[in-house]
Amino acid sequence: MSDVVFDRVEKMFGDFPAVRQTSFDVAPGEFVTLLGPSGSGKTTCLRMVAGFVAPTAGRILLGGRDVTRMPANRRNIGMVFQSYALFPHYTVAENIAFGLKVRRVGRAEREARVAEALRLVRLEAFAARYPAQLSGGQRQRVALARAVVIRPDVLLLDEPLAALDLKLREELQVEIKRVQSELNMTTLFVTHDQGEALSMSDRIAVMQAGGIVQMAAPHALYERPNCRFVANFLGRTNLIEVEVAGRLADGATAVRAVRGEGGWAVAGAPDQVFAIGERCFLATRPEHVRLGGSPEQAFEGVVRNLIYQGSLWQVEIEGRHGEALSALVGAGDAVPTRGAAVRASWDPARSFLLKAEEPAM
């Protein structure tokens, strides 16, 4: 049985469809992320699970119970907000204990559970401090402890790291995942940050315009997106407009460039069917592109820009007919100069085809 079930849920704000007919589930102990740009409906979905917003249509089940019309205070939900939402006049320990007091948990058990929550988030030495005496990262860990101390059926995280700097975000990603794994707590996480989603999730639901475009494990989404939106939203993707030329003996697909010369072999596309003569996009990630290669399986062009990224150089190549291709080159490798003529290639197994038209939602 899934701990969270969205069954054809819709939410209208006046005439605006914030969430279109959407279905997904979260298994017990699973960490699922709703990922998408602003306005895609991800936070509205989270707020409907929490009971802060009522669906216009559809059902929401928690632990097999239909909670669609159940008020928020009757759902055993733990929630962490971007803004921490701590009581400034309460100590760390008092903030964590608040939910237990509301539930009338006895003093001895309350103190034991607060101590355990402090240990989980590694703030034992800060129990007597007030929120104003803490850093942003410490405050967010207090908010996490307050959410998990009530032993919720589901933990909801609404962009909890958005207000923190990069180094602190990366540290707290590890902390949140560690606590969630240690407690084996069913978790629904909302973010617009692709790196967070990829590093923390068991599965990711990519949302656009109120609907889920694709839902899968992080590596599956990254390596085999089902459309250009997912490919570009989850990292950078090279897209070359091509036409399907035929099938090869090894099961790969032969394609030729729509603009200019060039033909390539592409590993089979198991999730989508492409007809001979159909126009589509050959896609490959910059990290899979290497400089050099045989003329019959190469992209030829001129280096238009070089972007230094520490351990890597991003090489921007322009083809003879205006096509663009990005490659990543190790800082210790030979880096071409701006204006140099280069040949780039990629392993057909690390490329894939995407439909020219985006899927309808």
Side-chain angles (χ1 to χ4, degrees):
M1 181 183 294
S2 298
D3 273 354
V4 180
V5 174
F6 249 48
D7 180 20
R8 296 166 294 175
V9 173
E10 297 181 359
K11 179 59 186 177
M12 300 290 295
F13 290 110
D15 295 330
F16 175 70
V19 175
R20 303 172 190 271
Q21 193 172 87
T22 296
S23 298
F24 67 88
D25 61 89
V26 185
E30 190 178 24
F31 194 116
V32 168
T33 295
L34 301 180
L35 173 70
S38 297
S40 59
K42 56 191 187 297
T43 295
T44 301
C45 286
L46 200 76
R47 292 175 65 82
M48 285 193 284
V49 175
F52 301 153
V53 174
T56 305
R59 298 187 307 155
I60 299 173
L61 282 69
L62 297 180
R65 292 187 308 156
D66 188 335
V67 300
T68 309
R69 303 302 166 193
M70 184 182 291
N73 62 358
R74 291 183 55 200
R75 306 183 192 195
N76 189 30
I77 295 291
M79 191 154 185
V80 180
F81 301 90
Q82 178 181 333
S83 61
Y84 318 130
L86 301 178
F87 298 113
H89 55 290
Y90 282 7
T91 65
V92 166
E94 289 168 342
N95 265 285
I96 295 172
F98 179 78
L100 298 175
K101 279 189 173 183
V102 170
R103 287 163 174 76
R104 301 184 183 279
V105 175
R107 181 173 179 177
E109 183 182 351
R110 189 167 69 236
E111 289 177 352
R113 285 165 67 172
V114 168
E116 174 63 13
L118 285 165
R119 182 199 64 77
L120 269 174
V121 297
R122 301 175 182 175
L123 287 177
E124 300 99 312
F126 297 82
R129 294 196 186 182
Y130 290 88
Q133 298 172 304
L134 304 176
S135 68
Q138 289 167 339
R139 283 181 228 168
Q140 199 57 288
R141 281 193 279 166
V142 174
L144 177 61
R146 184 180 60 185
V148 302
V149 76
I150 63 171
R151 298 173 183 168
D153 296 327
V154 179
L155 176 63
L156 305 179
L157 303 166
D158 187 11
E159 305 221 35
L161 309 179
L164 305 175
D165 62 57
L166 177 60
K167 188 172 186 300
L168 198 49
R169 281 206 312 272
E170 291 174 344
E171 290 174 359
L172 278 176
Q173 286 171 24
V174 175
E175 286 294 294
I176 289 173
K177 186 60 181 175
R178 177 186 61 80
V179 170
Q180 185 267 340
S181 297
E182 189 170 332
L183 297 175
N184 193 34
M185 186 168 288
T186 305
T187 301
L188 192 57
F189 181 72
V190 160
T191 185
H192 63 271
D193 187 291
Q194 300 92 332
E196 284 179 10
L198 289 170
S199 64
M200 299 173 71
S201 312
D202 297 317
R203 285 189 300 149
I204 301 170
V206 181
M207 297 193 69
Q208 180 189 27
I212 293 177
V213 183
Q214 187 177 4
M215 185 171 187
H219 70 275
L221 280 178
Y222 189 80
E223 295 293 342
R224 284 292 182 267
N226 67 356
C227 64
R228 283 178 289 148
F229 174 79
V230 175
N232 284 319
F233 195 78
L234 231 67
R236 188 166 185 180
T237 307
N238 292 304
L239 296 171
I240 303 173
E241 192 175 5
V242 296
E243 183 178 279
V244 176
R247 313 279 180 229
L248 303 179
D250 60 0
T253 300
V255 298
R256 56 175 170 259
V258 169
R259 289 190 292 171
E261 309 81 28
W264 303 277
V266 184
D271 298 328
Q272 300 188 59
V273 178
F274 296 87
I276 304 297
E278 181 178 355
R279 288 195 176 189
C280 53
F281 286 90
L282 184 158
T284 188
R285 299 287 186 182
E287 63 267 27
H288 298 152
V289 177
R290 62 185 183 275
L291 298 185
S294 61
E296 59 272 12
Q297 179 72 14
F299 177 98
E300 295 184 346
V302 175
V303 175
R304 292 303 183 201
N305 200 14
L306 295 167
I307 303 169
Y308 182 60
Q309 298 180 343
S311 61
L312 297 169
W313 284 89
Q314 182 174 309
V315 182
E316 300 290 337
I317 305 167
E318 183 181 334
R320 295 173 180 173
H321 300 271
E323 316 95 310
L325 189 79
S326 291
L328 295 180
V329 177
D333 298 333
V335 179
T337 58
R338 192 176 280 106
V342 294
R343 178 183 294 150
S345 60
W346 52 86
D347 182 348
R350 306 312 296 266
S351 61
F352 49 96
L353 296 178
L354 295 172
K355 292 283 186 180
E357 298 296 327
E358 295 286 62
M361 287 186 299

